[in-house]
Amino acid sequence: MYPENTSRKKPFIIVAIIIVLLVIVTIVLAIATSSSNDNKGGGPKGTLEISYNMSDTIGVVVKLNGKTQKTTEKYSVAPGKYQLQISRPGYTTFKTDVTVKENSDVLVSVRNDLVEAPPADSVQTLAPLLPSSIQNPRIKSVNYFYANTWAVVHFDSDQEDGDVAVLRYFPETQQWSMLNDPGVVVDINQIGDAPAAVLSYLNDNNLIFSGD
């Protein structure tokens, strides 16, 4: 009988050991990752509860420390200080600072008042907002949105007919502001924060271009 040649088996044994080690390492990393994911958002929590003064929350935007949150009535957050901002087209913006403590509830009564914006259908309102190069504007029609705090103004001038201006009323300054450069169409990049109804109107009437 010839002695068993173990030299040929060594490479296979080494490969097998490497494979086993790789499997073990993979399992350990998977367990560590899973544990890390399970711990995300863990730790002590407190509850921030919001009482809205509006009958519904359609179009309401809630921000905590500048980050937009899913609109709801209760938020489970880590203890700490937060800047709460709640806005809705057609309403005043509510802002306040709130401190949430561990295992405690904080109730914030929010007040967003309906804005009473002056009409934007007069030359006296529109003219000061236009570039000086546009002379003698003549308003043809105005479409209002969100309790008259957004407006799409159609007007002619000595320079061009069929221009469009998108206006927004700011209750903080009690003034209208023009968001776009007037023209026969509106650059979407200039009105990116316009609410859905305004964008839908412009799109349905083929008044939007990308600006690219």
Side-chain angles (χ1 to χ4, degrees):
M1 176 180 288
Y2 295 98
E4 184 178 2
N5 190 348
T6 58
S7 61
R8 294 181 179 179
K9 292 184 177 182
K10 286 182 179 180
F12 297 103
I13 295 173
I14 294 174
V15 171
I17 293 174
I18 292 174
I19 292 174
V20 171
L21 291 175
L22 288 174
V23 170
I24 294 173
V25 170
T26 301
I27 293 174
V28 171
L29 289 176
I31 294 174
T33 301
S34 176
S35 176
S36 175
N37 289 335
D38 290 341
N39 288 331
K40 284 184 177 179
K45 295 287 186 180
T47 300
L48 173 60
E49 184 174 356
I50 298 176
S51 175
Y52 300 94
N53 70 315
M54 297 168 284
S55 59
D56 61 73
T57 56
I58 298 174
V60 170
V61 177
V62 178
K63 291 184 178 182
L64 286 176
N65 291 342
K67 295 182 179 180
T68 302
Q69 311 293 318
K70 180 180 178 181
T71 302
T72 184
E73 294 181 350
K74 289 186 178 182
Y75 297 89
S76 179
V77 297
K81 294 182 178 180
Y82 294 89
Q83 183 183 69
L84 173 66
Q85 176 178 308
I86 297 177
S87 59
R88 183 180 188 178
Y91 289 77
T92 58
T93 298
F94 177 86
K95 295 181 181 180
T96 189
D97 294 325
V98 59
T99 299
V100 179
K101 296 182 179 180
E102 181 179 345
N103 298 324
S104 66
D105 295 347
V106 177
L107 175 64
V108 178
S109 295
V110 173
R111 186 171 184 84
N112 295 92
D113 296 320
L114 191 65
V115 174
E116 295 183 8
D121 56 0
S122 67
V123 173
Q124 289 77 14
T125 298
L126 179 64
L129 305 177
L130 297 173
S132 59
S133 58
I134 297 179
Q135 298 294 318
N136 192 25
R138 300 174 294 279
I139 295 177
K140 297 168 59 179
S141 64
V142 180
N143 295 83
Y144 290 102
F145 307 87
Y146 299 102
N148 297 348
T149 57
W150 286 80
V152 177
V153 182
H154 300 262
F155 67 97
D156 298 334
S157 69
D158 290 347
Q159 287 69 40
E160 187 175 34
D161 290 341
D163 279 351
V164 179
V166 179
L167 307 184
R168 180 183 180 184
Y169 183 75
F170 289 89
E172 296 83 2
T173 59
Q174 297 184 348
Q175 291 181 339
W176 286 97
S177 177
M178 185 171 62
L179 304 184
N180 68 302
D181 297 327
V184 293
V185 290
V186 178
D187 185 349
I188 186 63
N189 297 309
Q190 296 180 335
I191 59 166
D193 62 344
V198 176
L199 295 176
S200 178
Y201 170 82
L202 294 171
N203 187 61
D204 291 346
N205 289 275
N206 299 314
L207 295 173
I208 286 182
F209 82 106
S210 64
D212 298 330

